[in-house]
């Protein structure tokens, strides 16, 4: 690749790339994000290559492997351009038919289309499918259309024009001012305004400054940073270069966890390509501005997402947070002024510079501008990544985009913000999703994890789960976190086992206050949130566990029992045959019974008992009825 | 270096610029408890016992005084009910590990901490890091370090270095607030290297 020396040369390069591509030429894009990899997109890709060659189309149809499309529930996903026909949950066996019918004849393969759950109609295009229709994908949208390994693809959609604009038309102060006016708030957790953070670094007297991408995503169930870095690494890189220009940094780092090998690979390649083109390195686009980026692979510790711990790890030491009352933007990496922002925050920057702060603030709410990518997982029909304007009610995200709760179950809570966030109950679903709204409700935006829970979820157990996660991930430096979490986990585990005692809630509250007020870093300070938010909205569940030995959600294994209702049992034998513990006795015409001592409470009997009998019951907080005397166990005997 | 004036528990205190609140308080004879601070060592901020309330521009905040720098016009309160509560619970957490350690017992008395509030766990070390930091920062030997993370974290002697260096030093022993360090040392000594002075 020829090195580009000016914005004009970048434009010429873009025109050459576009001229090389016939807009009407069919292009098959296949999602090759991590989730689709896991469900076999490689086999599909191979089948497409083989089939195109076999049918003599290899020169006329382009196959492009892209980043994550977001609709991970339905992968592998294949989209045929220019008509944008989407096919879901493909196998390699479907490919010949797709090439034959859709690519050659322009027909659709009905059985592979998305079926609208309400009308039953097949929907062919992304913009018709509810999951996509209600989103506003300004940051994440390009993920599904470009090959992350190709800098030409990124340049073709207008990539690096924000950088060219900034370097040729704007001073660093103007770039900073634009980001400040856009009120871009940090997408990684706290929602601190990026522009103000940048300004602190810019104004710091130290001449050596750094910019860092925080790609140490660690929240359970959240993977938007991963998908963005895997699928569109140049967008993140362009944002980082713009940030470096604004604050006067000449060196930057991408701190990415080693568990994200594809993200490491793609961002490393992106840096190399950008250097070859002269978009990184010395004298970028002939502007005189020089900037270099290195990739740092982290060992994947949740605490290393915390800014001071991340910087300590970058310096080559154990990733423990530092007690600091001077902000990292003034004294950060190697005690130099450092701007650390999350992947998604950086990816927003080129859009702001390209389209202006006014465009950006028109999206979202008064205090939360722009969009936010959420990862919706849990008891939801459409698991995946979604990008919506800030301020969209939680209900719309869960029902319109997420497709609601499967299995006819009721929604109980939505956990937002990762382990440090909180659980919002059903009655708060109309809450507009913004930084301040979530914080006021006792949760937070965090990095955008969203775990949907249905009526079968025990909220005490949810708190126990997150506290256990944090106990494993605590660095162990300060006592409120290390010892406090250890004790909180012990008490919550006891409560879930039905061994809760009077005073347990007071102990948990004491430990929560101490962690919030006296822990060293953000992990410890926010660690009690899973407990506090569930206590705030589901106190009755805690009390039922402690006082009545009852788990209202019928979830905690130590507090539930399975029982076969003798009046309903038809002795069909299904539960007995399927019981892995051989805990069920009975025979033809003999009412079945569960031996409570052998039962492992796996729930198989309840699952397999035919609906028309409905004989198996899950119970909690009441004694299991005694077994029937042998002479009353005959089904016929009851008439 | 210029002086900074601040108020600690209603008392006017002067401290050199760059000093910490803990140093300023100690200089003025106002006691703040701490288990991980040592004047020869860099502040570590792990025991959190020295948490105090600072007020600046009308905004109140809990901070650890061993790290927090003094500032002109700062108001510091070292014994509010919230701080007493924080210290009491922290001590109760420590006492689950080393209920009979004299320094913990004395502090427990002062703050009304119940040594039996949490189930006992006999791992003794309270991770103040005094031994680790003293060996690294003052002696520059790194014979003792932290291993593992989180609730599994513990101190451990590095056998090679310990065999070479420790028998003639042992300056870390009196620093340990729970005496666990000596036990850890003797353990390593018993398993991995002979006692040098007995050989001699």
């Amino acid at each position: 690749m020829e090195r580009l020396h000016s914005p004009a040369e970048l434009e010429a390069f873009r025109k050459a790339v576009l001229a090389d591509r016939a807009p009407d030429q069919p292009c098959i894009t296949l999602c090759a994000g991590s989730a689709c990899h896991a469900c076999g997109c490689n086999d599909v890709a191979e089948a497409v290559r083989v089939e195109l060659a076999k049918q003599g189309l290899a020169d006329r149809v382009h196959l492009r492997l892209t980043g994550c499309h977001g609709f991970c529930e339905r992968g592998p996903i294949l989209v045929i351009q220019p008509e944008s026909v989407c096919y879901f949950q493909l196998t390699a066996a479907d490919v010949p038919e797709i090439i034959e019918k859709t690519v050659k004849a322009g027909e659709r393969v009905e059985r592979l289309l998305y079926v609208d759950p309400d009308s039953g109609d097949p929907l062919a295009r992304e913009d018709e499918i509810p999951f996509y229709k209600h989103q506003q994908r300004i940051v994440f949208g390009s993920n599904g259309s470009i090959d992350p390994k190709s800098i030409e693809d990124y340049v073709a959609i207008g990539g690096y024009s924000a950088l060219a604009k900034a370097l040729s038309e704007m001073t660093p102060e103007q770039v900073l001012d634009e980001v400040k006016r856009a009120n871009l708030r940090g997408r990684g957790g706290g929602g601190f305004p990026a522009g103000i953070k940048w300004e602190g670094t810019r104004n710091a007297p130290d001449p050596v400054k750094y910019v860092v991408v925080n790609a140490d995503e660690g929240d359970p169930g959240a993977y938007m940073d991963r998908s963005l870095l895997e699928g569109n690494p140049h967008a993140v890189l362009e944002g980082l270069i713009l940030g470096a220009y604004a604050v006067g940094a000449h060196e930057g780092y991408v701190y990415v966890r080693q568990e994200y090998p594809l993200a490491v690979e793609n961002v490393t390649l992106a840096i190399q390509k950008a250097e070859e083109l002269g978009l990184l390195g010395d004298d970028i686009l002939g502007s005189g501005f020089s900037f270099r980026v290195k990739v740092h692979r982290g060992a994947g510790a949740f605490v290393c997402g915390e800014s001071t711990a991340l910087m300590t790890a970058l310096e080559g030491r154990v990733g423990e947070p530092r007690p600091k009352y001077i902000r990292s933007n003034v004294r950060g990496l190697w005690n130099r002024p450092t701007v650390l922002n999350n992947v998604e925050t950086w990816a927003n920057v080129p859009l702001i510079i390209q389209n202006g702060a006014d465009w950006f603030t028109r999206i979202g709410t008064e205090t939360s501008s722009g969009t936010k990518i959420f990862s919706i997982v849990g008891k939801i029909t459409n698991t995946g990544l979604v990008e919506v304007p800030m301020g969209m009610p939680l209900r719309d995200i869960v029902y319109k985009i997420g497709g609601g709760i499967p299995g006819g179950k009721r929604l109980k809570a939505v956990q937002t913000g990762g382990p440090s966030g909180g659980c919002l109950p059903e009655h708060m679903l109309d809450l507009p999703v913004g930084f301040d709204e979530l914080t006021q409700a006792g949760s937070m935006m965090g990095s955008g994890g969203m775990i949907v829970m249905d009526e079968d979820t025990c909220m005490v157990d949810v708190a126990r789960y997150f506290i256990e996660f944090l106990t494993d991930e605590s660095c162990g430096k300060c006592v409120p976190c290390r010892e406090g979490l250890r004790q909180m986990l012990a008490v919550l585990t006891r409560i879930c086992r039905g061994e809760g005692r009077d005073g347990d809630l007071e102990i948990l509250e004491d430990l929560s206050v101490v962690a919030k007020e006296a822990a060293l870093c953000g992990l410890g300070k926010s660690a009690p949130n899973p407990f506090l938010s569930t206590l705030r909205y589901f106190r009755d569940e805690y009390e039922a566990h402690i006082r009545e030995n009852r788990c209202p959600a019928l979830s905690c294994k130590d507090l539930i029992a399975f029982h076969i209702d003798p009046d309903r049992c038809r002795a069909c034998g299904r539960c007995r045959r399927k019981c892995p513990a051989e805990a069920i006795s009975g025979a033809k015409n003999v009412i079945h019974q569960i031996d409570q001592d052998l039962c492992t409470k796996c729930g198989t009997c309840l699952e397999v008992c035919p609906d028309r009998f409905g004989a198996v019951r899950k119970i909690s907080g009441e004694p299991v009825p005694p077994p029937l005397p042998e002479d009353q166990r005959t089904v016929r005997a009851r008439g | 270096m210029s002086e900074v004036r601040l108020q600690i528990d209603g008392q006017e205190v002067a401290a050199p610029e760059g000093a910490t609140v803990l140093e300023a308080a100690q200089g003025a004879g106002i006691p703040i408890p701490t288990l991980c601070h040592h004047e020869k060592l860099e502040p570590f901020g792990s025991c959190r016992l020295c948490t105090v309330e600072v007020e600046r521009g009308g905004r109140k905040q809990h901070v650890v005084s061993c790290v927090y720098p003094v500032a002109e016009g700062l108001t510091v309160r070292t014994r509010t009910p919230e701080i007493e509560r924080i210290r009491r619970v922290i001590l109760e957490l420590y006492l689950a590990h080393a209920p009979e350690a004299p320094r913990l017992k004395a502090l427990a008395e002062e703050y009304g901490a119940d040594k039996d509030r949490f189930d006992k766990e006999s791992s003794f070390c309270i991770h103040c890091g005094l031994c680790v930091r003293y060996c690294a920062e003052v002696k520059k030997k790194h014979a003792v370090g932290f291993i593992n993370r989180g609730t599994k974290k513990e101190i451990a002697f590095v056998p090679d270095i310990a065999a070479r260096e420790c028998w003639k030093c042992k300056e870390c022993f009196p620093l340990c607030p729970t005496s666990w360090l000596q036990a850890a040392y003797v353990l390593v000594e018993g398993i991995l290297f002979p006692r040098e002075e007995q050989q001699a």
Side-chain angles (χ1 to χ4, degrees), chain A residues 388-445:
Chain A
V388 297
M390 299 264 193
M392 182 183 263
L394 209 45
R395 190 182 298 282
D396 288 356
I397 300 177
V398 171
Y399 287 95
K400 283 189 183 165
I401 298 174
I405 319 301
K409 301 270 184 175
R410 262 190 41 234
L411 181 140
K412 184 167 188 177
V414 181
Q415 208 274 350
T416 76
S420 324
C423 292
L424 300 173
E426 211 274 338
H427 74 260
M428 297 194 74
L429 273 194
D430 292 310
L431 189 80
V433 179
F435 286 105
D436 306 322
E437 290 84 351
L438 285 172
T439 308
Q440 274 156 27
S443 184
M444 66 179 216
M445 181 77 81

Side-chain angles (χ1 to χ4, degrees), chain B residues 12-163:
Chain B
E12 289 290 331
V13 173
E17 200 182 349
T20 63
V21 167
L22 180 67
E23 285 162 349
Q26 283 172 341
I30 300 167
I32 296 178
T34 167
L35 288 167
C36 71
H37 181 77
H38 189 286
E39 56 194 12
K40 283 187 185 166
L41 305 176
E42 286 290 307
F44 192 54
S46 81
C47 81
R48 318 307 280 178
L49 218 50
C50 71
T51 298
V52 297
E53 182 190 279
V54 293
E55 189 175 335
R56 217 173 173 178
R59 197 169 153 254
K60 287 182 192 171
Q61 196 189 354
H62 285 134
V63 301
V64 285
S65 57
C66 69
V67 191
Y68 198 85
V70 292
E72 189 66 39
L74 192 71
T75 305
V76 181
R77 293 179 195 92
T78 71
R79 298 205 64 155
T80 67
E82 294 87 58
I83 287 166
E84 307 265 301
R85 182 187 189 186
I86 289 168
R87 290 187 188 153
R88 175 175 55 79
V89 176
I90 287 175
L91 288 166
E92 285 167 345
L93 288 168
Y94 278 144
L95 288 160
H97 293 283
E100 298 302 328
R103 282 176 65 191
L104 293 180
K105 273 174 89 170
L107 285 165
E109 182 101 351
E110 187 177 348
Y111 288 94
D114 173 4
K115 72 176 167 57
D116 298 319
R117 187 155 190 218
F118 298 109
D119 295 341
K120 292 285 172 296
E121 226 172 301
S122 49
S123 52
F124 309 105
C125 175
I126 61 164
H127 304 78
C128 63
L130 286 171
C131 54
V132 173
R133 291 180 291 138
Y134 189 86
C135 192
E137 293 174 29
V138 177
K139 304 297 286 187
K140 305 209 185 308
K141 300 295 184 198
H142 302 271
V144 57
F146 282 120
I147 55 166
N148 232 319
R149 181 177 80 186
T151 50
K152 299 190 193 80
K153 191 173 189 170
E154 49 186 298
I155 50 161
F157 282 87
V158 182
D160 296 6
I161 308 175

Side-chain angles (χ1 to χ4, degrees), chain A residues 14-88:
Chain A
R14 190 188 327 278
K15 285 199 179 110
V17 169
L18 289 170
D20 219 28
R21 300 181 171 185
D24 298 332
Q25 185 190 20
C27 175
I28 298 175
T29 60
L30 180 68
C31 178
S34 286
C36 282
H37 259 290
C39 43
C41 74
N42 275 348
D43 294 343
V44 178
E46 193 47 37
V48 172
R49 279 192 204 102
V50 168
E51 200 58 30
L52 287 176
K54 206 153 87 185
Q55 307 215 22
L57 293 168
D59 297 337
R60 287 195 284 129
V61 181
H62 187 62
L63 169 67
R64 184 178 295 152
L65 300 182
T66 71
C68 175
H69 292 214
F71 204 174
C72 305
E73 179 74 31
R74 302 281 176 130
I77 303 169
L78 184 145
V79 184
I80 298 169
Q81 303 294 1
E83 295 88 2
S84 301
V85 178
C86 310
Y87 293 127
F88 296 96

Side-chain angles (χ1 to χ4, degrees), chain A residues 236-316:
Chain A
V236 182
L237 216 49
E238 188 180 0
L240 188 70
I241 308 169
L242 285 164
Y245 178 67
V247 305
H250 300 287
E251 211 173 305
Y253 292 89
V254 181
Y255 186 102
V256 52
R257 45 170 58 210
Q258 178 79 60
E259 293 97 314
Y260 286 1
L262 189 58
V264 171
E265 184 185 324
N266 287 359
V267 76
T268 306
L269 187 68
I271 291 170
Q272 188 198 321
K273 294 264 180 89
E275 278 173 353
E276 285 171 20
L277 268 187
L279 298 163
L280 266 178
D282 291 332
D283 191 20
I284 296 171
L285 292 176
S287 65
F289 173 66
S290 302
F291 177 64
R292 289 180 192 283
V293 183
K294 287 187 189 132
V295 175
H296 180 100
R297 291 174 297 175
F302 185 72
V303 70
C304 288
E306 202 279 334
S307 63
T308 62
L310 188 152
M311 289 180 200
T312 311
L314 249 180
E315 290 168 5

Side-chain angles (χ1 to χ4, degrees), chain A residues 266-528:
Chain A
N266 287 359
V267 76
T268 306
L269 187 68
I271 291 170
Q272 188 198 321
K273 294 264 180 89
E275 278 173 353
E276 285 171 20
L277 268 187
L279 298 163
L280 266 178
D282 291 332
D283 191 20
I284 296 171
L285 292 176
S287 65
F289 173 66
S290 302
F291 177 64
R292 289 180 192 283
V293 183
K294 287 187 189 132
V295 175
H296 180 100
R297 291 174 297 175
F302 185 72
V303 70
C304 288
E306 202 279 334
S307 63
T308 62
L310 188 152
M311 289 180 200
T312 311
L314 249 180
E315 290 168 5
R317 294 183 279 138
V318 177
E320 284 182 356
R322 285 181 266 189
K324 271 196 158 181
Y325 292 105
I326 302 172
R327 285 187 186 277
S328 299
N329 63 341
V330 177
R331 280 179 73 179
L333 191 58
W334 290 294
N335 280 324
R336 309 280 201 182
T338 304
V339 170
L340 180 126
N341 280 135
N342 153 278
V343 171
E344 191 185 341
T345 317
W346 289 116
N348 269 284
V349 173
L351 299 167
I352 291 168
I353 299 304
Q354 188 62 28
N355 303 309
D358 293 334
W359 166 83
F360 191 74
T361 50
R362 277 199 295 273
I363 307 166
T365 68
E366 190 81 14
T367 57
S368 303
S369 302
T371 60
K372 178 76 192 87
I373 306 174
F374 291 101
S375 130
I376 44 172
V377 297
K379 303 293 174 68
I380 185 116
T381 306
N382 303 331
T383 299
L385 297 180
V386 307
E387 181 179 352
V388 297
M390 299 264 193
M392 182 183 263
L394 209 45
R395 190 182 298 282
D396 288 356
I397 300 177
V398 171
Y399 287 95
K400 283 189 183 165
I401 298 174
I405 319 301
K409 301 270 184 175
R410 262 190 41 234
L411 181 140
K412 184 167 188 177
V414 181
Q415 208 274 350
T416 76
S420 324
C423 292
L424 300 173
E426 211 274 338
H427 74 260
M428 297 194 74
L429 273 194
D430 292 310
L431 189 80
V433 179
F435 286 105
D436 306 322
E437 290 84 351
L438 285 172
T439 308
Q440 274 156 27
S443 184
M444 66 179 216
M445 181 77 81
S447 59
M450 214 173 246
I451 303 174
V452 181
M453 296 163 184
D454 71 8
E455 57 193 278
D456 296 339
T457 314
C458 168
M459 301 314 285
V460 183
D461 191 48
V462 164
R464 191 204 55 76
Y465 167 82
F466 281 113
I467 298 287
E468 184 176 31
F469 172 83
L470 292 165
T471 306
D472 284 343
E473 294 294 340
S474 164
C475 81
K477 183 167 175 174
C478 79
V479 69
C481 182
R482 183 186 69 242
E483 299 301 328
L485 282 174
R486 187 209 300 271
Q487 297 297 347
M488 282 185 88
L489 177 62
V491 175
L492 287 166
T493 305
R494 232 177 39 219
I495 295 176
C496 286
R497 287 197 182 136
E499 295 157 8
R501 330 193 253 254
D502 280 347
D504 275 354
L505 293 182
E506 287 70 24
I507 288 183
L508 288 169
E509 280 175 324
D510 255 1
L511 294 172
S512 298
V513 168
V514 171
K516 259 180 132 60
E517 294 299 325
L520 174 57
C521 79
L523 188 153
K525 282 181 192 295
S526 61

Side-chain angles (χ1 to χ4, degrees), chain A residues 548-567:
Chain A
E548 302 161 39
N549 280 347
R550 180 169 69 87
C551 173
L554 302 173
S555 159
C556 291
K557 277 202 173 175
D558 292 302
L559 297 183
I560 58 165
F562 289 86
H563 174 247
I564 299 172
D565 184 342
D567 293 335

